Amino acid sequence: MGITTQYTVSLDEVGPVEVSLASYGSGQPFLLLHGGAGPQSVTGFAEKFAAAHDVRVLVPTHPGFAGTVRPESLTSVPGLAALYGALLDQLDLTDVTAIGNSIGGWITAEIALLKSPRVSGIVLVDAVGIEVSGHPVADFFALTMDQVFELSFHDPEPFRVDPATLPPAAQAIAAGNRTAIAVYAGSAMADPTLVGRLGSLELPTLVLWGESDGIVDVDYGRAYAAAIPMARFQLLSETGHSPQLETPDQVDHAIWDSADTDFSAFAR
């Protein structure tokens, strides 16, 4: 089980921000950032990855998700990136690999663009955030939850939940998550300036993509990798938008086996 600690991080133009941070294992640090489904969509993978490789996996909850408080002036993905950059400074971590899924991948890309010497590599897992002509991000806010599950998974049945059957507290958290997504990412879930800015990155980057992702398709993923000079693209079979949930072993091997290539930042 992870150990959860509350940190107060001071952020310029925002003030103090409370961050809930779960920590799994010990060793080389990995920062694992969740998408719109909330922290529970990555905690199982965090625990598995930390145990398998004797590393430390840190999972923050984005303020506003899982019932946490979001300061009114924290309203953007770059703002979250700055928050986590400041958190890494506060924790005095080095040689950090940042991994992000969906919106968490967008945050990870923005963290990389801060050019912090603390971050030595990034992994983007079915990330959103860029604009790709002809390949828009699915309009999450126009979809029923059933449609979201259909688009998100290669096999949605094990993951399908009827929101109406959830207890009131869980429904409130889900509604809060949805509000937080809208505030941070907007309905388009993209920043038209991002793809151009990614060209300045000089950081080992692994882009992992589920072949059955209906939220952001494979061509979108290839465009993401093409925008980053040092990126390597890898397709994951029989998995959708959240491979760390659906096929965690594939994600584990893809990240760890990248040590056998020129992505030595990812494993020792």
Side-chain angles (χ1 to χ4, degrees):
M1 293 294 292
I3 298 169
T4 300
T5 307
Q6 303 297 321
Y7 291 93
T8 302
V9 181
S10 182
L11 201 57
D12 290 346
E13 299 178 12
V14 175
V17 183
E18 298 299 317
V19 179
S20 177
L21 185 70
S23 178
Y24 301 82
S26 60
Q28 182 192 352
F30 287 75
L31 179 69
L32 179 57
L33 301 178
H34 67 79
Q40 77 279 4
S41 65
V42 298
T43 50
F45 180 77
E47 194 165 8
K48 178 185 180 75
F49 193 76
H53 304 295
D54 292 325
V55 296
R56 183 184 184 193
V57 182
L58 301 168
V59 180
T61 297
H62 311 325
F65 281 84
T68 59
V69 175
R70 177 188 60 82
E72 281 189 19
S73 51
L74 185 59
T75 59
S76 69
V77 169
L80 285 171
L83 175 67
Y84 296 135
L87 179 63
L88 295 181
D89 287 342
Q90 192 166 317
L91 297 174
D92 195 22
L93 295 175
T94 57
D95 197 17
V96 178
T97 300
I99 306 171
N101 171 234
S102 191
I103 294 169
W106 182 0
I107 301 166
T108 298
E110 293 284 4
I111 288 172
L113 286 164
L114 295 174
K115 310 286 175 74
S116 168
R118 298 184 182 279
V119 178
S120 55
I122 62 170
V123 182
L124 307 178
V125 185
D126 296 78
V128 299
I130 63 170
E131 282 189 351
V132 180
S133 179
H135 300 275
V137 181
D139 186 353
F140 172 78
F141 299 99
L143 300 172
T144 65
M145 284 310 297
D146 212 46
Q147 289 170 323
V148 171
F149 286 115
E150 287 292 336
L151 292 174
S152 295
F153 296 100
H154 177 77
D155 178 12
E157 288 311 314
F159 303 96
R160 202 185 301 274
V161 175
D162 180 356
T165 65
L166 295 173
Q171 289 192 39
I173 284 174
N177 289 355
R178 195 177 177 92
T179 299
I181 297 167
V183 169
Y184 290 129
S187 59
M189 295 200 190
D191 174 354
T193 73
L194 179 57
V195 71
R197 291 186 288 121
L198 290 173
S200 71
L201 281 184
E202 296 179 356
L203 200 63
T205 301
L206 183 62
V207 180
L208 302 179
W209 224 265
E211 66 175 3
S212 300
D213 191 343
I215 301 293
V216 273
D217 65 23
V218 171
D219 286 341
Y220 183 101
R222 292 189 189 281
Y224 224 125
I228 301 171
M230 293 177 66
R232 181 164 67 84
F233 180 83
Q234 185 170 336
L235 199 61
L236 304 177
S237 63
E238 297 186 354
T239 195
H241 187 60
S242 300
Q244 79 283 353
L245 272 176
E246 196 168 13
T247 55
D249 287 342
Q250 275 200 82
V251 180
D252 182 320
H253 292 315
I255 295 169
W256 207 252
D257 292 351
S258 63
D260 297 331
T261 69
D262 56 347
F263 290 86
S264 58
F266 296 141
R268 298 291 180 260

